[in-house]
Amino acid sequence: QVQLVDSGGGLVQAGGSLRLSCAASGRTFSTYAMGWFRQAPGKVREFVAAITRSSSTYYGDSVKGRFTISRDNAKNTVYLQMNQLKPEDTAVYYCAASLAGYGLAYRYQYEYWGQGTQVTVSS
């Protein structure tokens, strides 16, 4: 069992930056691949980024070159550094944990989810 707590969201102007954090409980954090998804009002939950157990990273097309995912296994934490934010990045952001470690762009590959943190980008 893994519990995930998302934090770091807020209100930022377009062009600004935010760093999201996701703290995981338990001593098995390093065995999970981790991902970030987001959901805007009226839209489906969208893949943002993922990092494997060996720290390979993957990104959704809309955030490539602007967002960076990283993990610190000693702190049981995964981060999402978001730069050059745009109003269309506004959404609730969720971190998630996957034992499978593959197909990480798909929601069904994740067993555990955080509660979400709101990111709002003003124009």
Side-chain angles (χ1 to χ4, degrees):
Q1 188 81 5
V2 175
Q3 291 186 325
L4 304 175
V5 178
D6 307 324
S7 64
L11 174 64
V12 63
Q13 288 188 330
S17 299
L18 279 175
R19 189 176 80 156
L20 306 184
S21 298
C22 174
S25 65
R27 293 179 290 179
T28 59
F29 175 75
S30 62
T31 66
Y32 289 86
M34 300 296 296
W36 286 97
F37 288 74
R38 66 187 182 187
Q39 189 165 16
K43 295 190 176 182
V44 298
R45 196 167 293 190
E46 173 190 26
F47 171 71
V48 175
I51 186 165
T52 66
R53 290 181 284 268
S54 60
S55 294
S56 295
T57 57
Y58 303 90
Y59 297 94
D61 288 342
S62 61
V63 306
K64 280 180 184 176
R66 300 188 297 123
F67 291 11
T68 302
I69 188 171
S70 61
R71 66 189 301 160
D72 184 338
N73 289 339
K75 295 183 178 180
N76 281 10
T77 301
V78 62
Y79 304 98
L80 185 68
Q81 177 66 44
M82 306 186 295
N83 298 329
Q84 301 172 48
L85 283 161
K86 304 175 181 179
E88 50 264 46
D89 294 317
T90 295
V92 177
Y93 283 70
Y94 300 88
C95 74
S98 170
L99 267 178
Y102 58 88
L104 295 174
Y106 300 99
R107 288 172 289 168
Y108 62 79
Q109 292 288 50
Y110 294 84
E111 291 83 11
Y112 304 103
W113 292 83
Q115 83 286 359
T117 185
Q118 176 71 48
V119 171
T120 303
V121 184
S122 63
S123 56

